[in-house]
Amino acid sequence: MKKVYRVFATAVSVIFPCLGILIPRSLQSVVLYLIFGALFILINIVPSLEADSLRTRKLRQCLKGAELLRFYMVASVINAVIWVADLVVHIMSVTYGFWVPWLLSALMIFLTMSILYWNGCIRIITNSSQAGIVNKTISYFCAWFFPLIFAFVPGMIKRAENEAYFENYKIGVNEQRHAQQICRTRYPLLMVHGVFFRDFKPAFLNYWGRISGELQLNGATVFYGNQQSAASVDKCGAELAERIKQIIAETGCEKVNIIAHSKGGLDSRAAIARYGVEDMVASLTTVNTPHRGCEFADYLLSKIGQPIKDKVAATYNAALSKLGDPNPNFIEAVTDLTHEACEKFNSITPDSDKVYYQSIGSYMAAATGGRFPLNLSYNLVRYFDGRNDGLVGEKSFPWGQNYTFLEPRGGRGISHADMIDLNRENFECFDVREFYVQLVNDLRQRGF
């Protein structure tokens, strides 16, 4: 029935604008105009029967928008061909006096196609999270440059449809397992951010994207590290230790499970080893952490002149101060991520036998697998560190009793940013939210 309705709606989108060309003007044509006009209004209001089965209004609107754009793609091509063919026929037959009805037909086609396009675009722009601000902006300009539509709209249709179906599936999965609370660990989670980001206002802009919310839906209690975004590993470790003590004092939870991304993994190891919280940490999971540093960072710091380093540092420090860092130090933070600094750090930072350590890593299959600036840094990192996630080389990830290296199918891979859902992006072969749900569920099963 759903496929039949799609064929029916597409046919209406094609036939209605061209009635002035296809049929002679008569009483019957007026009746046909009224009938097809009503059907055209109907398909603009109800473009999809399947959409009503989705769980939220936003998802329903995404799917309806995708269907309307699909109608538009087919109808605009066929109508343009009919319109041009009609012009050629009249010119070749030397028919005079046809210009007024022909221009009226052209206006009719333009108006009806515009209705389909904008109806679909507005639904997607106002309801889709996956389309992104760039694609939404492009969709506006495409309307004024007709050929561009065919290079852009098919991708927009696919993104909106995939979002509607996948997010609907995710809602269903969480509803079915809600009673199990599979992320309700014995100890709460402490999510620790990496360098140059802050998580002190997670409700405004969560460093962990949709991950924290998904964990909470499945029973997790989540706290955030709140350490500075650009300071030495030692300073951030001291801040994390105080944060851990604060959480335990406020909740009486005895211990926390730390999940730390990037430099946050080094900060967490420093907190455990040097600041008296090893009895307060049940587990540490590091995600794409440069435990052995980044050789390309050594190269950059050694090759870039001091004036340039000072200028870059001043710019970053000014921006990070506005984000809440009391005393940001760009050079200090970057230096602690070099291969040389991490070798020294590892030699003086032993693991605690009271804490369960595990690590996770991933890689980008090609530069195109990541967004800016990772798509630019990928090849440079590969030159020095081999296979990498856009920032950190594969050999730097492993740490602890258990190591998981993610190698998804397909040619995209998983970037440094993908591992924290920074872009809130769904892509094939890897569901980042479900990965963390299962990760935390494993901690739960281990008794943590």
Side-chain angles (χ1 to χ4, degrees):
M1 182 63 183
K2 296 171 184 176
K3 292 183 178 179
V4 172
Y5 186 79
R6 174 180 287 179
V7 173
F8 159 76
T10 303
V12 171
S13 301
V14 171
I15 296 172
F16 175 57
C18 287
L19 284 177
I21 298 174
L22 299 175
I23 60 175
R25 289 177 294 281
S26 64
L27 179 61
Q28 291 84 352
S29 69
V30 174
V31 174
L32 282 175
Y33 260 114
L34 292 175
I35 293 173
F36 275 90
L39 293 176
F40 184 76
I41 293 173
L42 172 65
I43 66 171
N44 272 274
I45 297 173
V46 187
S48 170
L49 297 181
E50 189 176 6
D52 291 334
S53 64
L54 302 185
R55 286 175 165 82
T56 69
R57 179 185 177 280
K58 291 188 66 163
L59 299 182
R60 290 193 290 271
Q61 293 301 326
C62 279
L63 190 57
K64 289 178 179 180
E67 284 291 272
L68 285 164
L69 289 183
R70 181 176 284 106
F71 301 155
Y72 167 82
M73 290 288 291
V74 176
S76 61
V77 172
I78 296 176
N79 287 330
V81 170
I82 293 175
W83 181 59
V84 172
D86 184 57
L87 173 63
V88 172
V89 167
H90 281 86
I91 291 176
M92 292 183 66
S93 61
V94 197
T95 303
Y96 299 100
F98 81 97
W99 292 105
V100 172
W102 181 78
L103 289 174
L104 289 175
S105 297
L107 179 62
M108 182 67 175
I109 292 171
F110 174 78
L111 290 176
T112 52
M113 293 302 98
S114 295
I115 290 171
L116 283 177
Y117 181 80
W118 287 112
N119 191 2
C121 270
I122 290 172
R123 288 175 191 255
I124 292 176
I125 288 172
T126 56
N127 293 283
S128 173
S129 301
Q130 296 296 304
I133 186 65
V134 173
N135 292 323
K136 291 177 180 179
T137 303
I138 292 174
S139 70
Y140 172 79
F141 289 104
C142 276
W144 313 109
F145 300 96
F146 180 73
L148 292 179
I149 289 174
F150 298 95
F152 171 77
V153 171
M156 195 168 183
I157 292 171
K158 183 178 179 180
R159 281 189 291 272
E161 278 189 335
N162 289 346
E163 178 178 358
Y165 291 131
F166 185 70
E167 294 302 321
N168 190 66
Y169 161 76
K170 295 288 291 181
I171 293 171
V173 168
N174 286 327
E175 286 177 351
Q176 290 176 4
R177 67 187 179 194
H178 177 73
Q180 301 174 41
Q181 297 288 279
I182 63 174
C183 292
R184 188 177 294 281
T185 50
R186 180 180 179 184
Y187 306 114
L189 305 178
L190 177 61
M191 311 287 282
V192 178
H193 68 74
V195 71
F196 304 140
F197 285 89
R198 290 299 304 266
D199 58 11
F200 65 104
K201 292 182 179 179
F204 176 69
L205 179 62
N206 198 318
Y207 176 85
W208 296 88
R210 300 165 294 176
I211 295 167
S212 301
E214 193 82 0
L215 295 175
Q216 290 168 326
L217 279 175
N218 286 279
T221 300
V222 177
F223 295 94
Y224 299 95
N226 295 351
Q227 83 274 26
Q228 290 192 71
S229 61
S232 69
V233 168
D234 199 56
K235 289 179 181 177
C236 288
E239 291 181 352
L240 279 177
E242 291 304 311
R243 176 63 172 151
I244 292 169
K245 293 172 184 177
Q246 177 190 21
I247 293 170
I248 290 175
E250 291 178 356
T251 66
C253 60
E254 298 182 356
K255 296 185 178 185
V256 297
N257 291 302
I258 301 177
I259 299 177
H261 178 248
S262 194
K263 176 178 173 287
L266 302 179
D267 299 340
S268 300
R269 286 175 54 201
I272 296 168
R274 291 202 274 277
Y275 293 101
V277 293
E278 65 174 344
D279 292 324
M280 302 177 188
V281 178
S283 69
L284 169 60
T285 302
T286 62
V287 181
N288 292 51
T289 292
H291 291 288
R292 291 159 192 84
C294 305
E295 291 183 15
F296 91 96
D298 297 68
Y299 174 81
L300 289 177
L301 287 175
S302 66
K303 294 298 182 181
I304 295 177
Q306 192 61 43
I308 297 177
K309 285 194 286 189
D310 290 341
K311 185 174 182 180
V312 172
T315 301
Y316 266 90
N317 290 341
L320 296 170
S321 293
K322 294 180 180 179
L323 289 176
D325 277 12
N327 188 28
N329 191 319
F330 174 86
I331 297 298
E332 194 175 75
V334 172
T335 300
D336 274 1
L337 298 177
T338 62
H339 176 68
E340 181 181 354
C342 285
E343 274 194 332
K344 181 179 178 181
F345 173 78
N346 291 337
S347 68
I348 61 174
T349 313
D351 288 348
S352 169
D353 56 8
K354 300 177 182 180
V355 178
Y356 171 69
Y357 293 83
Q358 66 175 344
S359 53
I360 297 159
S362 68
Y363 78 101
M364 286 167 53
T368 53
R371 292 193 182 185
F372 178 83
L374 300 183
N375 53 353
L376 298 182
S377 60
Y378 168 80
N379 285 318
L380 179 62
V381 180
R382 186 176 65 172
Y383 180 81
F384 289 97
D385 298 288
R387 193 158 64 160
N388 66 89
D389 66 358
L391 282 179
V392 183
E394 176 185 353
K395 62 186 177 183
S396 205
F397 297 137
W399 198 265
Q401 296 99 304
N402 185 35
Y403 172 55
T404 302
F405 187 64
L406 301 174
E407 299 184 84
R409 300 184 306 275
R412 186 188 190 284
I414 305 170
S415 76
H416 198 76
D418 292 332
M419 285 304 302
I420 54 168
D421 195 35
L422 187 65
N423 299 312
R424 281 72 170 165
E425 180 181 6
N426 297 336
F427 55 91
E428 294 180 5
C429 304
F430 181 62
D431 179 357
V432 64
R433 287 172 286 174
E434 187 62 21
F435 174 79
Y436 278 91
V437 167
Q438 296 305 322
L439 172 70
V440 174
N441 182 40
D442 180 70
L443 292 175
R444 173 175 174 266
Q445 292 179 359
R446 290 176 183 272
F448 300 131

